[in-house]
Amino acid sequence: MKHQDHDWSGIYNHLRESLYEQQIVCSMSTQLYYMPETEDLEGNPEMHEHLVPASYHRVTAVGSAKRLMKDEAKEPSSIVQSLRSCIENAQSEDQGVMRWLHVMRDEAPSSFSSFIQRIITRQEKAEKSLKEAQQQMENEREEREEKSQTLEEMAVWCDDIDWHWQQMKPIFAKVADQKNLEGWEQKLRNLKGKVHAASPLETMDFQTAQGLYDQWESLYHETQEYRSF
């Protein structure tokens, strides 16, 4: 299935929101280096050791989602793998960011406690949006896999009923006119064409399949009655 058929805009928006929140985290935490009361605040250097790669992974994730959204990627599957990896790596680094932010809050002068708490709140928002992007990716992956499995099952069903049709067609011709037989075959050809093109199946397609089976079953019973004479 082509990844350009997938709507990446929702995932992109979640990632962009996450990146924005972490930009504020970067700005506020770096600002602490340039104020006398907090220039040597315990935990800030250690926190940045995690914040820098966390930010990098978010930047890369946003860029990957944007390329997928705009269909610029020549090898979309590798871009998706990269995107998923960046989200997971950012989440891993986020744990260190949050751990050291709490150290910073505890070690900061009381007048800066609320300032650092605002940084923590921003980081929490960054993590929440990142998790939402990951969850949407997972939900849509499961949906794509389910649709793919449905297509495979329908393809097997089409081939199976076509085989049975060909076996019974000479007998069906004795109880049905040629126009009805040709109509059945045309409907099956149309359905098989859609399945083999991996086009999304709609309710009407399942109704068509049910109609084909019902007609086949009806003709089969008629031939049994015909044989009994």
Side-chain angles (χ1 to χ4, degrees):
M1 183 175 293
K2 296 185 292 186
H3 287 283
Q4 54 263 46
D5 294 334
H6 177 74
D7 182 9
W8 292 97
S9 59
I11 293 169
Y12 170 75
N13 288 334
H14 286 311
L15 291 171
R16 191 174 59 176
E17 289 170 7
S18 181
L19 177 60
Y20 169 74
E21 294 297 339
Q22 197 153 80
Q23 286 173 335
I24 303 302
V25 172
C26 290
S27 175
M28 294 179 72
S29 60
T30 301
Q31 182 184 353
L32 293 170
Y33 283 121
Y34 299 96
M35 292 186 283
E37 301 90 338
T38 56
E39 60 183 355
D40 296 318
L41 179 61
E42 183 177 346
N44 203 4
E46 292 86 352
M47 190 275 294
H48 273 84
E49 290 179 4
H50 297 282
L51 183 61
V52 171
S55 302
Y56 163 79
H57 291 305
R58 279 177 169 81
V59 169
T60 306
V62 169
S64 298
K66 189 170 185 178
R67 291 177 66 202
L68 289 164
M69 187 172 62
K70 293 183 176 295
D71 188 25
E72 296 178 359
K74 291 184 178 180
E75 297 292 339
S77 61
S78 60
I79 300 298
V80 173
Q81 291 173 354
S82 173
L83 172 55
R84 185 173 289 113
S85 176
C86 283
I87 290 176
E88 293 173 354
N89 289 335
Q91 289 174 326
S92 178
E93 296 294 345
D94 283 345
Q95 295 178 22
V97 171
M98 190 61 76
R99 181 172 64 253
W100 286 104
L101 278 174
H102 282 90
V103 172
M104 292 164 59
R105 183 186 59 187
D106 295 340
E107 297 297 326
S110 58
S111 58
F112 281 85
S113 295
S114 61
F115 181 87
I116 297 176
Q117 183 57 49
R118 292 203 302 274
I119 301 177
I120 292 174
T121 299
R122 291 287 193 169
Q123 177 64 22
E124 289 173 342
K125 290 180 179 179
E127 293 179 14
K128 180 175 181 292
S129 295
L130 190 65
K131 183 64 177 178
E132 289 170 343
Q134 184 184 48
Q135 187 61 56
Q136 186 170 341
M137 280 191 72
E138 181 62 21
N139 291 344
E140 297 187 6
R141 181 189 65 80
E142 291 176 357
E143 183 179 344
R144 288 196 303 274
E145 289 181 352
E146 182 178 343
K147 288 180 178 179
S148 177
Q149 181 178 352
T150 300
L151 280 170
E152 291 176 5
E153 291 173 352
M154 181 65 82
V156 171
W157 182 87
C158 286
D159 290 340
D160 184 60
I161 199 170
D162 190 21
W163 184 87
H164 286 287
W165 176 268
Q166 297 302 326
Q167 300 302 308
M168 296 296 296
K169 185 177 178 180
I171 302 174
F172 287 165
K174 299 179 183 296
V175 297
D177 59 55
Q178 187 65 22
K179 184 177 181 180
N180 285 339
L181 297 180
E182 290 176 353
W184 190 97
E185 291 176 335
Q186 183 60 52
K187 288 180 181 178
L188 181 61
R189 279 196 297 270
N190 292 342
L191 182 58
K192 290 180 73 172
K194 188 170 186 178
V195 169
H196 290 301
S199 300
L201 295 178
E202 303 172 0
T203 301
M204 182 174 58
D205 298 315
F206 294 99
Q207 292 173 343
T208 297
Q210 184 63 52
L212 289 169
Y213 177 79
D214 290 343
Q215 188 176 357
W216 185 94
E217 188 176 43
S218 176
L219 286 170
Y220 179 81
H221 288 308
E222 288 184 38
T223 59
Q224 297 308 302
E225 294 174 3
Y226 176 82
R227 286 175 169 181
S228 65
F229 288 110

PDB file of all heavy atoms in Angstrom, residues 111-137:
ATOM      1  N   SER A 111      12.658  31.675  44.543  1.00  0.00           N
ATOM      2  CA  SER A 111      12.067  32.654  43.622  1.00  0.00           C
ATOM      3  C   SER A 111      11.992  32.139  42.184  1.00  0.00           C
ATOM      4  O   SER A 111      11.300  32.719  41.342  1.00  0.00           O
ATOM      5  CB  SER A 111      12.871  33.966  43.655  1.00  0.00           C
ATOM      6  OG  SER A 111      14.228  33.717  43.308  1.00  0.00           O
ATOM      7  N   PHE A 112      12.698  31.034  41.902  1.00  0.00           N
ATOM      8  CA  PHE A 112      12.694  30.468  40.546  1.00  0.00           C
ATOM      9  C   PHE A 112      11.892  29.167  40.451  1.00  0.00           C
ATOM     10  O   PHE A 112      11.812  28.568  39.376  1.00  0.00           O
ATOM     11  CB  PHE A 112      14.139  30.195  40.085  1.00  0.00           C
ATOM     12  CG  PHE A 112      14.861  31.426  39.622  1.00  0.00           C
ATOM     13  CD1 PHE A 112      15.499  32.245  40.538  1.00  0.00           C
ATOM     14  CD2 PHE A 112      14.874  31.774  38.283  1.00  0.00           C
ATOM     15  CE1 PHE A 112      16.159  33.388  40.121  1.00  0.00           C
ATOM     16  CE2 PHE A 112      15.533  32.915  37.860  1.00  0.00           C
ATOM     17  CZ  PHE A 112      16.176  33.738  38.783  1.00  0.00           C
ATOM     18  N   SER A 113      11.303  28.748  41.548  1.00  0.00           N
ATOM     19  CA  SER A 113      10.554  27.488  41.543  1.00  0.00           C
ATOM     20  C   SER A 113       9.407  27.511  40.540  1.00  0.00           C
ATOM     21  O   SER A 113       9.193  26.552  39.782  1.00  0.00           O
ATOM     22  CB  SER A 113      10.013  27.188  42.944  1.00  0.00           C
ATOM     23  OG  SER A 113      11.069  26.957  43.846  1.00  0.00           O
ATOM     24  N   SER A 114       8.646  28.604  40.536  1.00  0.00           N
ATOM     25  CA  SER A 114       7.506  28.691  39.611  1.00  0.00           C
ATOM     26  C   SER A 114       7.972  28.752  38.162  1.00  0.00           C
ATOM     27  O   SER A 114       7.320  28.215  37.258  1.00  0.00           O
ATOM     28  CB  SER A 114       6.637  29.901  39.946  1.00  0.00           C
ATOM     29  OG  SER A 114       7.381  31.099  39.814  1.00  0.00           O
ATOM     30  N   PHE A 115       9.125  29.395  37.930  1.00  0.00           N
ATOM     31  CA  PHE A 115       9.674  29.491  36.575  1.00  0.00           C
ATOM     32  C   PHE A 115      10.016  28.097  36.057  1.00  0.00           C
ATOM     33  O   PHE A 115       9.662  27.726  34.931  1.00  0.00           O
ATOM     34  CB  PHE A 115      10.912  30.382  36.587  1.00  0.00           C
ATOM     35  CG  PHE A 115      11.544  30.576  35.242  1.00  0.00           C
ATOM     36  CD1 PHE A 115      11.106  31.594  34.396  1.00  0.00           C
ATOM     37  CD2 PHE A 115      12.571  29.751  34.806  1.00  0.00           C
ATOM     38  CE1 PHE A 115      11.693  31.782  33.150  1.00  0.00           C
ATOM     39  CE2 PHE A 115      13.153  29.933  33.557  1.00  0.00           C
ATOM     40  CZ  PHE A 115      12.713  30.951  32.724  1.00  0.00           C
ATOM     41  N   ILE A 116      10.676  27.315  36.886  1.00  0.00           N
ATOM     42  CA  ILE A 116      11.071  25.967  36.460  1.00  0.00           C
ATOM     43  C   ILE A 116       9.844  25.061  36.367  1.00  0.00           C
ATOM     44  O   ILE A 116       9.785  24.166  35.508  1.00  0.00           O
ATOM     45  CB  ILE A 116      12.131  25.391  37.407  1.00  0.00           C
ATOM     46  CG1 ILE A 116      13.397  26.269  37.342  1.00  0.00           C
ATOM     47  CG2 ILE A 116      12.469  23.942  37.035  1.00  0.00           C
ATOM     48  CD1 ILE A 116      14.497  25.863  38.298  1.00  0.00           C
ATOM     49  N   GLN A 117       8.853  25.309  37.216  1.00  0.00           N
ATOM     50  CA  GLN A 117       7.628  24.526  37.097  1.00  0.00           C
ATOM     51  C   GLN A 117       6.954  24.779  35.756  1.00  0.00           C
ATOM     52  O   GLN A 117       6.371  23.858  35.158  1.00  0.00           O
ATOM     53  CB  GLN A 117       6.655  24.862  38.243  1.00  0.00           C
ATOM     54  CG  GLN A 117       5.381  24.039  38.225  1.00  0.00           C
ATOM     55  CD  GLN A 117       5.635  22.542  38.278  1.00  0.00           C
ATOM     56  OE1 GLN A 117       6.406  22.071  39.124  1.00  0.00           O
ATOM     57  NE2 GLN A 117       5.024  21.787  37.377  1.00  0.00           N
ATOM     58  N   ARG A 118       7.042  25.996  35.263  1.00  0.00           N
ATOM     59  CA  ARG A 118       6.486  26.294  33.932  1.00  0.00           C
ATOM     60  C   ARG A 118       7.246  25.532  32.848  1.00  0.00           C
ATOM     61  O   ARG A 118       6.652  25.096  31.856  1.00  0.00           O
ATOM     62  CB  ARG A 118       6.513  27.798  33.653  1.00  0.00           C
ATOM     63  CG  ARG A 118       5.560  28.595  34.519  1.00  0.00           C
ATOM     64  CD  ARG A 118       5.194  29.931  33.889  1.00  0.00           C
ATOM     65  NE  ARG A 118       6.337  30.776  33.611  1.00  0.00           N
ATOM     66  CZ  ARG A 118       6.905  31.611  34.487  1.00  0.00           C
ATOM     67  NH1 ARG A 118       6.420  31.683  35.722  1.00  0.00           N
ATOM     68  NH2 ARG A 118       7.935  32.366  34.159  1.00  0.00           N
ATOM     69  N   ILE A 119       8.555  25.379  33.036  1.00  0.00           N
ATOM     70  CA  ILE A 119       9.335  24.573  32.090  1.00  0.00           C
ATOM     71  C   ILE A 119       8.844  23.127  32.123  1.00  0.00           C
ATOM     72  O   ILE A 119       8.659  22.493  31.070  1.00  0.00           O
ATOM     73  CB  ILE A 119      10.841  24.621  32.428  1.00  0.00           C
ATOM     74  CG1 ILE A 119      11.366  26.061  32.380  1.00  0.00           C
ATOM     75  CG2 ILE A 119      11.627  23.748  31.449  1.00  0.00           C
ATOM     76  CD1 ILE A 119      12.828  26.189  32.766  1.00  0.00           C
ATOM     77  N   ILE A 120       8.631  22.610  33.327  1.00  0.00           N
ATOM     78  CA  ILE A 120       8.143  21.233  33.464  1.00  0.00           C
ATOM     79  C   ILE A 120       6.791  21.069  32.791  1.00  0.00           C
ATOM     80  O   ILE A 120       6.543  20.072  32.096  1.00  0.00           O
ATOM     81  CB  ILE A 120       8.056  20.845  34.959  1.00  0.00           C
ATOM     82  CG1 ILE A 120       9.466  20.753  35.550  1.00  0.00           C
ATOM     83  CG2 ILE A 120       7.305  19.528  35.139  1.00  0.00           C
ATOM     84  CD1 ILE A 120       9.496  20.527  37.055  1.00  0.00           C
ATOM     85  N   THR A 121       5.912  22.042  32.966  1.00  0.00           N
ATOM     86  CA  THR A 121       4.581  21.982  32.345  1.00  0.00           C
ATOM     87  C   THR A 121       4.701  21.951  30.828  1.00  0.00           C
ATOM     88  O   THR A 121       3.993  21.192  30.148  1.00  0.00           O
ATOM     89  CB  THR A 121       3.731  23.184  32.780  1.00  0.00           C
ATOM     90  OG1 THR A 121       3.567  23.151  34.209  1.00  0.00           O
ATOM     91  CG2 THR A 121       2.357  23.146  32.117  1.00  0.00           C
ATOM     92  N   ARG A 122       5.603  22.757  30.287  1.00  0.00           N
ATOM     93  CA  ARG A 122       5.832  22.760  28.838  1.00  0.00           C
ATOM     94  C   ARG A 122       6.374  21.418  28.364  1.00  0.00           C
ATOM     95  O   ARG A 122       5.967  20.908  27.314  1.00  0.00           O
ATOM     96  CB  ARG A 122       6.806  23.879  28.465  1.00  0.00           C
ATOM     97  CG  ARG A 122       6.268  25.272  28.630  1.00  0.00           C
ATOM     98  CD  ARG A 122       5.254  25.585  27.540  1.00  0.00           C
ATOM     99  NE  ARG A 122       4.956  27.012  27.504  1.00  0.00           N
ATOM    100  CZ  ARG A 122       4.276  27.619  26.542  1.00  0.00           C
ATOM    101  NH1 ARG A 122       3.848  26.908  25.513  1.00  0.00           N
ATOM    102  NH2 ARG A 122       4.026  28.918  26.589  1.00  0.00           N
ATOM    103  N   GLN A 123       7.275  20.848  29.140  1.00  0.00           N
ATOM    104  CA  GLN A 123       7.833  19.547  28.772  1.00  0.00           C
ATOM    105  C   GLN A 123       6.752  18.479  28.806  1.00  0.00           C
ATOM    106  O   GLN A 123       6.709  17.591  27.937  1.00  0.00           O
ATOM    107  CB  GLN A 123       8.981  19.194  29.713  1.00  0.00           C
ATOM    108  CG  GLN A 123       9.592  17.822  29.479  1.00  0.00           C
ATOM    109  CD  GLN A 123      10.249  17.672  28.122  1.00  0.00           C
ATOM    110  OE1 GLN A 123      10.616  18.655  27.483  1.00  0.00           O
ATOM    111  NE2 GLN A 123      10.393  16.439  27.659  1.00  0.00           N
ATOM    112  N   GLU A 124       5.869  18.554  29.778  1.00  0.00           N
ATOM    113  CA  GLU A 124       4.761  17.595  29.855  1.00  0.00           C
ATOM    114  C   GLU A 124       3.871  17.699  28.625  1.00  0.00           C
ATOM    115  O   GLU A 124       3.419  16.680  28.078  1.00  0.00           O
ATOM    116  CB  GLU A 124       3.937  17.845  31.122  1.00  0.00           C
ATOM    117  CG  GLU A 124       4.652  17.458  32.394  1.00  0.00           C
ATOM    118  CD  GLU A 124       3.909  17.866  33.651  1.00  0.00           C
ATOM    119  OE1 GLU A 124       3.010  18.746  33.551  1.00  0.00           O
ATOM    120  OE2 GLU A 124       4.219  17.342  34.729  1.00  0.00           O
ATOM    121  N   LYS A 125       3.631  18.906  28.162  1.00  0.00           N
ATOM    122  CA  LYS A 125       2.827  19.104  26.950  1.00  0.00           C
ATOM    123  C   LYS A 125       3.549  18.543  25.727  1.00  0.00           C
ATOM    124  O   LYS A 125       2.921  17.950  24.848  1.00  0.00           O
ATOM    125  CB  LYS A 125       2.528  20.592  26.751  1.00  0.00           C
ATOM    126  CG  LYS A 125       1.559  21.179  27.769  1.00  0.00           C
ATOM    127  CD  LYS A 125       1.317  22.661  27.494  1.00  0.00           C
ATOM    128  CE  LYS A 125       0.330  23.254  28.495  1.00  0.00           C
ATOM    129  NZ  LYS A 125       0.108  24.704  28.252  1.00  0.00           N
ATOM    130  N   ALA A 126       4.867  18.748  25.689  1.00  0.00           N
ATOM    131  CA  ALA A 126       5.655  18.207  24.575  1.00  0.00           C
ATOM    132  C   ALA A 126       5.563  16.689  24.533  1.00  0.00           C
ATOM    133  O   ALA A 126       5.418  16.085  23.467  1.00  0.00           O
ATOM    134  CB  ALA A 126       7.113  18.648  24.704  1.00  0.00           C
ATOM    135  N   GLU A 127       5.628  16.069  25.692  1.00  0.00           N
ATOM    136  CA  GLU A 127       5.556  14.609  25.774  1.00  0.00           C
ATOM    137  C   GLU A 127       4.155  14.115  25.413  1.00  0.00           C
ATOM    138  O   GLU A 127       4.003  13.081  24.754  1.00  0.00           O
ATOM    139  CB  GLU A 127       5.950  14.151  27.176  1.00  0.00           C
ATOM    140  CG  GLU A 127       7.408  14.416  27.503  1.00  0.00           C
ATOM    141  CD  GLU A 127       7.788  13.974  28.906  1.00  0.00           C
ATOM    142  OE1 GLU A 127       7.009  13.227  29.537  1.00  0.00           O
ATOM    143  OE2 GLU A 127       8.871  14.375  29.389  1.00  0.00           O
ATOM    144  N   LYS A 128       3.145  14.838  25.842  1.00  0.00           N
ATOM    145  CA  LYS A 128       1.760  14.446  25.558  1.00  0.00           C
ATOM    146  C   LYS A 128       1.487  14.468  24.052  1.00  0.00           C
ATOM    147  O   LYS A 128       0.915  13.520  23.489  1.00  0.00           O
ATOM    148  CB  LYS A 128       0.790  15.378  26.274  1.00  0.00           C
ATOM    149  CG  LYS A 128      -0.692  15.070  26.050  1.00  0.00           C
ATOM    150  CD  LYS A 128      -1.561  15.989  26.902  1.00  0.00           C
ATOM    151  CE  LYS A 128      -3.044  15.677  26.700  1.00  0.00           C
ATOM    152  NZ  LYS A 128      -3.507  16.029  25.342  1.00  0.00           N
ATOM    153  N   SER A 129       1.897  15.523  23.385  1.00  0.00           N
ATOM    154  CA  SER A 129       1.676  15.620  21.935  1.00  0.00           C
ATOM    155  C   SER A 129       2.456  14.549  21.183  1.00  0.00           C
ATOM    156  O   SER A 129       1.974  13.999  20.187  1.00  0.00           O
ATOM    157  CB  SER A 129       2.075  17.013  21.428  1.00  0.00           C
ATOM    158  OG  SER A 129       1.238  18.009  21.981  1.00  0.00           O
ATOM    159  N   LEU A 130       3.658  14.265  21.664  1.00  0.00           N
ATOM    160  CA  LEU A 130       4.462  13.218  21.027  1.00  0.00           C
ATOM    161  C   LEU A 130       3.786  11.866  21.166  1.00  0.00           C
ATOM    162  O   LEU A 130       3.746  11.069  20.218  1.00  0.00           O
ATOM    163  CB  LEU A 130       5.852  13.184  21.651  1.00  0.00           C
ATOM    164  CG  LEU A 130       6.889  12.307  20.940  1.00  0.00           C
ATOM    165  CD1 LEU A 130       7.187  12.844  19.550  1.00  0.00           C
ATOM    166  CD2 LEU A 130       8.170  12.231  21.769  1.00  0.00           C
ATOM    167  N   LYS A 131       3.229  11.600  22.350  1.00  0.00           N
ATOM    168  CA  LYS A 131       2.526  10.350  22.581  1.00  0.00           C
ATOM    169  C   LYS A 131       1.288  10.247  21.693  1.00  0.00           C
ATOM    170  O   LYS A 131       0.961   9.167  21.171  1.00  0.00           O
ATOM    171  CB  LYS A 131       2.117  10.249  24.052  1.00  0.00           C
ATOM    172  CG  LYS A 131       1.426   8.939  24.421  1.00  0.00           C
ATOM    173  CD  LYS A 131       2.367   7.752  24.240  1.00  0.00           C
ATOM    174  CE  LYS A 131       1.719   6.450  24.666  1.00  0.00           C
ATOM    175  NZ  LYS A 131       2.608   5.280  24.447  1.00  0.00           N
ATOM    176  N   GLU A 132       0.606  11.352  21.499  1.00  0.00           N
ATOM    177  CA  GLU A 132      -0.581  11.367  20.637  1.00  0.00           C
ATOM    178  C   GLU A 132      -0.207  11.057  19.192  1.00  0.00           C
ATOM    179  O   GLU A 132      -0.934  10.340  18.493  1.00  0.00           O
ATOM    180  CB  GLU A 132      -1.284  12.720  20.734  1.00  0.00           C
ATOM    181  CG  GLU A 132      -1.985  12.939  22.065  1.00  0.00           C
ATOM    182  CD  GLU A 132      -2.482  14.346  22.268  1.00  0.00           C
ATOM    183  OE1 GLU A 132      -2.027  15.257  21.532  1.00  0.00           O
ATOM    184  OE2 GLU A 132      -3.326  14.563  23.158  1.00  0.00           O
ATOM    185  N   ALA A 133       0.935  11.577  18.748  1.00  0.00           N
ATOM    186  CA  ALA A 133       1.405  11.270  17.392  1.00  0.00           C
ATOM    187  C   ALA A 133       1.709   9.794  17.257  1.00  0.00           C
ATOM    188  O   ALA A 133       1.348   9.142  16.269  1.00  0.00           O
ATOM    189  CB  ALA A 133       2.645  12.104  17.064  1.00  0.00           C
ATOM    190  N   GLN A 134       2.375   9.247  18.271  1.00  0.00           N
ATOM    191  CA  GLN A 134       2.720   7.824  18.257  1.00  0.00           C
ATOM    192  C   GLN A 134       1.464   6.961  18.266  1.00  0.00           C
ATOM    193  O   GLN A 134       1.372   5.975  17.527  1.00  0.00           O
ATOM    194  CB  GLN A 134       3.589   7.489  19.462  1.00  0.00           C
ATOM    195  CG  GLN A 134       4.077   6.048  19.493  1.00  0.00           C
ATOM    196  CD  GLN A 134       4.851   5.740  20.756  1.00  0.00           C
ATOM    197  OE1 GLN A 134       4.409   6.057  21.869  1.00  0.00           O
ATOM    198  NE2 GLN A 134       6.034   5.157  20.596  1.00  0.00           N
ATOM    199  N   GLN A 135       0.483   7.332  19.068  1.00  0.00           N
ATOM    200  CA  GLN A 135      -0.744   6.554  19.171  1.00  0.00           C
ATOM    201  C   GLN A 135      -1.510   6.585  17.863  1.00  0.00           C
ATOM    202  O   GLN A 135      -2.060   5.567  17.422  1.00  0.00           O
ATOM    203  CB  GLN A 135      -1.623   7.086  20.302  1.00  0.00           C
ATOM    204  CG  GLN A 135      -2.845   6.224  20.594  1.00  0.00           C
ATOM    205  CD  GLN A 135      -2.479   4.822  21.020  1.00  0.00           C
ATOM    206  OE1 GLN A 135      -1.734   4.630  21.977  1.00  0.00           O
ATOM    207  NE2 GLN A 135      -2.970   3.816  20.307  1.00  0.00           N
ATOM    208  N   GLN A 136      -1.545   7.750  17.221  1.00  0.00           N
ATOM    209  CA  GLN A 136      -2.235   7.845  15.935  1.00  0.00           C
ATOM    210  C   GLN A 136      -1.540   7.011  14.878  1.00  0.00           C
ATOM    211  O   GLN A 136      -2.191   6.347  14.062  1.00  0.00           O
ATOM    212  CB  GLN A 136      -2.329   9.305  15.484  1.00  0.00           C
ATOM    213  CG  GLN A 136      -3.173   9.481  14.227  1.00  0.00           C
ATOM    214  CD  GLN A 136      -3.464  10.926  13.906  1.00  0.00           C
ATOM    215  OE1 GLN A 136      -3.365  11.802  14.764  1.00  0.00           O
ATOM    216  NE2 GLN A 136      -3.822  11.180  12.662  1.00  0.00           N
ATOM    217  N   MET A 137      -0.213   7.005  14.893  1.00  0.00           N
ATOM    218  CA  MET A 137       0.528   6.160  13.958  1.00  0.00           C
ATOM    219  C   MET A 137       0.183   4.693  14.165  1.00  0.00           C
ATOM    220  O   MET A 137      -0.019   3.942  13.206  1.00  0.00           O
ATOM    221  CB  MET A 137       2.035   6.363  14.127  1.00  0.00           C
ATOM    222  CG  MET A 137       2.596   7.590  13.459  1.00  0.00           C
ATOM    223  SD  MET A 137       4.415   7.585  13.446  1.00  0.00           S
ATOM    224  CE  MET A 137       4.752   6.296  12.235  1.00  0.00           C
TER     225      MET A 137
END
